[in-house]
């Protein structure tokens, strides 16, 4: 059964939270907007557990939560506009999508392989957890995919009643609505998701117009994810065995004679491990210069659904992306 731990004993709650993060676990954190399902943003296996718990059918990028603008700048590039917005609204319910910093240590699963990253400095206890841990936390809302976001610890518990989830309880969320998401790309500022901070509040700060995302921008993340990460090599899915003159991306313990480059997403058939390896392994195989990457079939359940969604995008003809 999931377990609620109050922040009334602050030191104890901080200790448990940091311990979970060091172990690569995911757990629920309070923020001023909604409760989040958090994990170390630099640990692929830990982040994969979030997708697994949420039963997300695709790898949407996750918001990376930081404790300061200083920490944020190790992960994302802030131009003058992004700086102004962070200084005006952080800590608070504003997520800034900015270009990924060159040496960002965020895992590819957090950014879904995009060249951008969503960063937010939340108010309250979660910020203390991040400071105590020293690294950012990836966290979507702590609900099963497609359901309403939780604004109290008891909501999270109802959602994940039968799991061993730790839920840090800091009382009901003050905002109760997800953060506003703004993308800053050079001089262009686009509202990707309305939320706790209004378009007008943002415009007042930066003295320029905030563009509203077109419907197509709403699916911009998965779309961009596809084009950004579509390898140069052709990708062939559901292969039973490796082919001559092709790279081989396998899953599970079957071993084959392979001439070309080969990597195994998870020898033990663990979908969490496979998800955390997926982006890096596709990149590595592509970097060998191979013309084709053959991928063995991945079970279509649990996290396998998101893995297969991603693979399907990678294999789609370029013009359909
Ligand atoms: O208030 C909130 O924002 C809560 C709390 C926990 O912080 N989090 C939250 O996360 O609502 P989530 O995963 O439910 O929504 C994140 C949204 C996704 O729709 C995703 O598309 C967008 O943020 N996003 C994150 N990184 C992005 C990126 N690099 N480019 C475009 N969109 C991004
Ligand atoms: Mg959500």
């Amino acid at each position: 059964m999931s377990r609620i731990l109050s922040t009334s004993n602050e030191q104890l709650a901080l200790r448990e939270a940091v311990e979970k993060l060091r172990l690569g676990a995911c757990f629920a954190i309070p923020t001023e907007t909604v409760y989040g399902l958090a994990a170390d943003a630099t640990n692929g296996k830990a982040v994969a557990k979030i997708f697994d718990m949420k039963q997300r059918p695709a790898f949407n990028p996750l918001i990376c939560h930081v404790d300061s603008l200083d920490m944020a700048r190790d992960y994302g590039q802030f131009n003058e506009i992004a700086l102004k917005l962070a200084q005006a609204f952080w800590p608070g319910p504003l997520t800034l999508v900015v270009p990924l910093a060159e040496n960002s240590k965020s895992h590819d699963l957090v950014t879904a392989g995009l060249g951008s990253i969503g960063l937010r400095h939340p108010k309250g206890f979660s910020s203390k957890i991040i400071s105590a841990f020293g690294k950012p936390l990836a966290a979507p809302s702590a609900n099963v995919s497609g359901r309403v976001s939780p604004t109290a610890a008891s909501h999270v518990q109802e959602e994940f009643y039968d799991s061993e989830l730790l839920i840090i309880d800091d009382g009901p969320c003050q905002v109760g609505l997800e953060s506003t998401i703004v993308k800053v790309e050079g001089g262009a500022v686009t509202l990707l998701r309305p939320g706790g901070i209004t378009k007008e509040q943002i415009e007042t700060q930066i003295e320029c117009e905030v563009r509203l995302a077109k419907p197509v921008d709403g699916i911009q993340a998965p779309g961009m994810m596809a084009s950004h990460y579509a390898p140069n090599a052709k990708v062939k899915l559901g292969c039973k065995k490796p082919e001559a003159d092709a790279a081989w991306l396998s899953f599970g313990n079957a071993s084959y004679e392979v001439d070309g480059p080969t990597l195994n997403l998870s020898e033990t058939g663990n979908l969490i491990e496979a998800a955390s390896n997926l982006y890096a392994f596709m990149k590595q195989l592509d970097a060998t210069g191979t013309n084709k990457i053959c991928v063995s079939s991945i079970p279509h359940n649990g996290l396998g659904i998101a893995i297969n969604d991603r693979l399907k995008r990678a294999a789609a003809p370029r013009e359909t992306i």
Side-chain angles (χ1 to χ4, degrees):
M1 190 185 140
S2 54
R3 179 167 63 97
I4 291 184
L5 178 66
S6 162
T7 56
S8 53
N9 185 339
E10 195 171 306
Q11 287 314 313
L12 178 76
L14 274 181
R15 224 179 12 241
E16 280 221 31
V18 170
E19 176 73 7
K20 287 274 175 207
L21 290 166
R22 291 206 179 116
L23 290 171
C26 76
F27 62 101
I29 56 163
T31 86
E32 77 278 44
T33 58
V34 299
Y35 274 73
L37 203 53
D40 175 355
T42 67
N43 178 338
K45 271 196 209 167
V47 175
K49 288 177 191 165
I50 297 177
F51 287 101
D52 189 40
M53 270 209 101
K54 278 191 71 94
Q55 298 163 38
R56 268 206 174 166
F59 294 128
N60 296 333
L62 302 178
I63 295 170
C64 202
H65 297 72
V66 293
D67 71 348
S68 60
L69 180 55
D70 256 8
M71 185 185 274
R73 293 180 91 169
D74 287 340
Y75 294 84
Q77 298 175 41
F78 284 70
N79 66 13
E80 219 173 293
I81 297 176
L83 272 180
K84 255 192 199 161
L85 290 175
Q87 277 155 356
F89 296 111
W90 282 3
L94 178 72
T95 297
L96 292 167
V97 175
V98 297
L100 194 61
E102 232 163 71
N103 297 317
S104 173
K105 292 197 172 62
S106 53
H107 191 271
D108 282 339
L109 270 185
V110 174
T111 51
L114 298 168
S116 61
I117 185 165
L119 289 158
R120 175 163 107 80
H121 177 188
K123 271 189 192 148
F125 198 75
S126 50
S127 202
K128 293 189 182 172
I129 299 176
I130 300 163
S131 297
F133 183 52
K135 287 192 274 182
L137 305 188
S141 49
N143 52 280
V144 171
S145 215
R147 294 166 57 104
V148 178
S149 296
T151 53
S154 59
H155 301 167
V156 184
Q157 188 169 47
E158 283 157 25
E159 197 74 3
F160 299 104
Y161 196 78
D162 291 328
S163 73
E164 299 281 299
L165 188 71
L166 169 72
I167 303 159
I168 308 273
D169 183 1
D170 197 37
C173 304
Q174 283 167 1
V175 179
L177 184 75
E178 288 91 343
S179 62
T180 302
I181 304 182
V182 165
K183 182 171 189 173
V184 182
E185 219 174 9
V189 183
T190 312
L191 184 70
L192 295 183
R193 178 175 78 182
I197 286 169
T198 65
K199 177 172 176 283
E200 290 70 29
Q201 279 175 290
I202 294 166
E203 282 172 340
T204 308
Q205 287 300 325
I206 55 177
E207 289 157 12
C208 74
E209 201 196 333
V210 174
R211 199 173 74 91
L212 286 177
K214 294 190 224 101
V216 64
D217 292 333
I219 52 161
Q220 183 183 25
M224 279 167 62
M225 169 166 84
S227 57
H228 187 76
Y229 251 63
N232 292 318
K234 240 179 93 181
V235 176
K236 187 174 168 189
L237 304 182
C239 302
K240 297 258 181 304
K241 54 181 174 29
E243 292 179 11
D245 302 323
W248 174 234
L249 184 61
S250 64
F251 174 85
N253 62 4
S255 59
Y256 298 97
E257 288 284 310
V258 190
D259 292 335
T262 179
L263 287 169
N264 193 325
L265 288 169
S266 169
E267 281 177 17
T268 59
N270 181 324
L271 289 167
I272 289 176
E273 184 179 30
S276 75
N277 286 332
L278 182 66
Y279 288 110
F281 283 12
M282 298 256 286
K283 265 202 276 196
Q284 275 182 49
L285 290 181
D286 202 33
T288 64
T290 184
N291 289 321
K292 190 165 155 189
I293 301 173
C294 294
V295 188
S296 68
S297 42
I298 310 289
H300 203 65
N301 57 53
L303 212 44
I305 296 171
I307 295 174
N308 284 325
D309 170 80
R310 175 66 200 93
L311 282 169
K312 215 170 79 191
R313 291 172 195 282
R318 273 335 106 82
E319 56 276 14
T320 68
I321 293 172

